[in-house]
Amino acid sequence: MGRTDQVTKVYGIFIHPWQVDEVMARFPLVANFQIVVTRKDYRDEMTVYIELKEEGADKANLKRGIETEVREVLKVKGEVVFTVKGGIPDRAKKIDDRRIWE
């Protein structure tokens, strides 16, 4: 069967959806978000996809702030990527583990 929750182990550290909610709550300009975990050359990679409420935001400062908070709270480095409104489907998993194990 397997697990049904979204707790995911990245770089040996468990990431919980409530932790991600806690980080994103600190940024009122974030409308929607999703963390995607992939694997490249036997290394985990974490990408944080962000939809903004308004497009005129200072993306450079926001990206830096979110990446810092993710690193401090989740203890894992993640790259922030901004996506267009609607780029993250409604009811999408907060943490989407797309790793393929060999």
Side-chain angles (χ1 to χ4, degrees), residues 1 4-5 29 31 38 40 46-47 59 87-88 96 100:
M1 277 293 260
T4 58
D5 59 1
L29 290 175
T38 55
K40 183 177 180 184
M46 187 172 85
T47 307
K59 290 183 180 179
I88 300 171
D96 189 6
I100 297 173

Side-chain angles (χ1 to χ4, degrees), residues 68-96:
T68 300
E69 288 296 314
V70 164
R71 192 170 47 255
E72 289 178 5
V73 174
L74 304 181
K75 308 295 185 212
V76 176
K77 181 181 173 192
E79 179 187 358
V80 169
V81 175
F82 293 101
T83 184
V84 296
K85 196 89 165 153
I88 300 171
D90 290 340
R91 297 187 179 165
K93 292 180 179 181
K94 291 181 186 178
I95 304 172
D96 189 6

Side-chain angles (χ1 to χ4, degrees), residues 37-50:
V37 182
T38 55
R39 196 158 177 82
K40 183 177 180 184
D41 297 328
Y42 302 101
R43 290 182 47 99
D44 293 337
E45 291 187 351
M46 187 172 85
T47 307
V48 183
Y49 290 95
I50 303 287

